[in-house]
């Protein structure tokens, strides 16, 4: 319950995980400097995510498929798009992801520092997503530059810059669509080409819709997967027993559960937005209709009332309550793809090394809100 409601909270420049750890024991809900109501506790975040009639996803005037949509419209798009992301649909990509990971790991220097975020996470995320979508390798540098600029713009809080960066991504995507539209035949039978043939409610997706879907599948997720890889490598470097256990070889289901649990402990995917459709009482706070709300997954995933000691690793016990991929109608459709990519990245990294350790010469750096996880994790591979 909120005994006192602070109303001038600014997370700018702070490590969001540490900051919400400080706030959560005293406050279930806080109001930030933008006037948004931030839900910090597990039960409140779950309540809001499951009450999609009271907490709408229509938070932006931009077309956001499917995350900016509600009710039947949202369901129609999820039905049309989720089929690309099922474990069965992903099976043909395992070997491609393995090659991407193995080549990247082989190219990393040994016995000198490597940044787990920029040199491993970002590069792997961009190459794996491009392999999945059938995008040309020469887009890699543009995508990497885009991830960096997107982080910088998001961090700056400068809306005009963020908008410009979003538009530059649209241009990049259109450059991928054009040759597929012009070409005919087998060479265009990749995932992007199939998305262009996809129908929703009996008609083909428009260009604007395809760009929006691809922006969701890449724009945000390249950053998420990259940050998650940084968190995972940091955890392995600082928990040699877990590292050795995984290196010895464990079943895929076990490594997946461990990945989920590491990401629960340090969830770099900080929050998602909602807007109330009516007056709502939540966590002892009365929200008016039209209130802007944030579901803070990182904080909810560390709620002592739900998990006890948030840092204690217990994949089996915590799996059902883990919110890394959200909950309810908007729960992440990309979780199998993300998990598969991260599992393969770790397996290849562990198989090609006998040790991953933090570089004693350099300090690690936490990322600053609104980016979660680590900004830099210098590790030495041996
Ligand atoms: C480790 C990486 C990822 C994390 C931590 C993550 C996390 C999440 C979370 C927490 C949500 C719920 C949002 C909400 O309730 O408002 C979500 C939604 C979504 N995710 Fe992911 N995600 C990841 C990777 C991916 C990937 C690889 C894809 C697709 C290629 C993807 C596509 C989406 C889409 C389209 C939505 C919106 C779903 C909807 O509104 O119905 N995500 N993700």
């Amino acid at each position: 319950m909120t005994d006192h409601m602070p109303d001038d909270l600014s997370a700018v420049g702070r490590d969001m995980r540490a900051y919400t750890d400080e706030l959560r024991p005293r406050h279930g809900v806080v109001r930030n400097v933008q006037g948004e109501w931030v839900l910090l506790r597990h039960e409140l975040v779950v309540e809001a995510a499951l009450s999609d009639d009271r907490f709408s996803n229509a938070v932006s005037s931009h077309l956001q498929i499917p995350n900016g949509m509600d009710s039947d419209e949202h369901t129609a798009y999820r039905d049309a798009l989720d089929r690309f992301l099922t474990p069965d649909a992903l099976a043909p990509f395992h070997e491609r992801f393995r090659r991407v990971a193995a080549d990247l790991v082989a190219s990393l220097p040994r016995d000198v520092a490597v940044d787990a975020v920029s040199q491993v996470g970002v590069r792997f995320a961009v190459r794996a997503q491009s392999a999945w979508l059938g995008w040309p390798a020469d887009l890699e540098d543009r995508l990497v530059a885009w991830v960096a600029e997107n982080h910088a713009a998001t961090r700056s809080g400068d809306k005009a810059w963020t908008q410009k960066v979003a538009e530059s991504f649209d241009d990049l995507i259109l450059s991928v669509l054009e040759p597929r539209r012009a070409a005919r035949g087998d060479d265009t039978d990749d995932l992007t080409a199939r998305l262009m043939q996809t129908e929703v409610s009996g008609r083909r997706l428009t260009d604007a819709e395809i760009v929006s879907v691809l922006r969701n599948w890449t724009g945000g997720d390249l950053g998420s997967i990259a940050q998650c890889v940084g968190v995972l490598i940091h955890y392995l470097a600082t928990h040699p027993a877990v590292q050795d256990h995984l290196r010895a070889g464990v079943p895929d289901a076990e490594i997946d559960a461990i990945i989920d649990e590491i990401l629960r402990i340090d969830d770099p995917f900080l929050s998602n937005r909602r807007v109330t459709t009516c007056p709502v009482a939540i966590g002892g706070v009365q929200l008016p209709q039209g209130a802007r709300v944030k579901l803070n997954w990182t904080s909810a995933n560390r709620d002592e009332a739900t998990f006890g000691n948030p840092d204690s690793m217990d994949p089996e016990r915590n799996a059902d309550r883990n919110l890394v991929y959200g909950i309810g109608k908007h729960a992440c459709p990309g979780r199998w793809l993300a998990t598969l990519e991260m599992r393969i990245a770790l397996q290849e990294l562990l198989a090609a090394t006998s040790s991953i350790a933090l570089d004693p010469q350099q300090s690690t750096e936490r990322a600053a809100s609104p980016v979660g996880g680590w900004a830099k994790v210098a590790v030495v591979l041996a």
Side-chain angles (χ1 to χ4, degrees), residues 17 22 55 91 100 104 113 134 146 152 156 184 194 235 272 332 345 350 376:
R17 186 178 79 146
E22 242 174 70
F55 291 88
V100 165
L104 175 62
W146 186 87
S156 75
R184 299 262 180 280
R194 271 183 277 143
Y235 194 93
N272 284 105
C332 183
L350 289 164
K376 189 180 124 195

Side-chain angles (χ1 to χ4, degrees), residues 49-127:
L50 295 179
S51 311
D52 44 85
D53 51 339
R54 296 184 303 152
F55 291 88
S56 161
N57 268 55
V59 292
S60 164
S61 54
H62 298 288
L63 181 66
Q64 294 189 327
I65 300 176
N67 43 324
M69 298 173 158
D70 291 322
S71 50
D72 293 350
E73 186 187 35
H74 171 258
T75 308
Y77 282 98
R78 285 286 300 243
D79 287 350
L81 298 168
D82 284 7
R83 72 180 77 141
F84 293 115
L85 291 158
T86 62
D88 281 350
L90 297 171
F93 296 95
H94 287 209
E95 276 324 301
R96 257 183 258 181
F97 293 153
R98 203 164 287 287
R99 223 171 318 136
V100 165
D103 289 350
L104 175 62
V105 170
S107 76
L108 296 170
R110 300 298 191 266
D111 300 321
V112 292
V114 169
D115 179 18
V117 183
S118 61
Q119 287 177 270
V120 189
V122 174
R123 288 283 160 188
F124 174 71
V126 167
R127 288 182 197 174

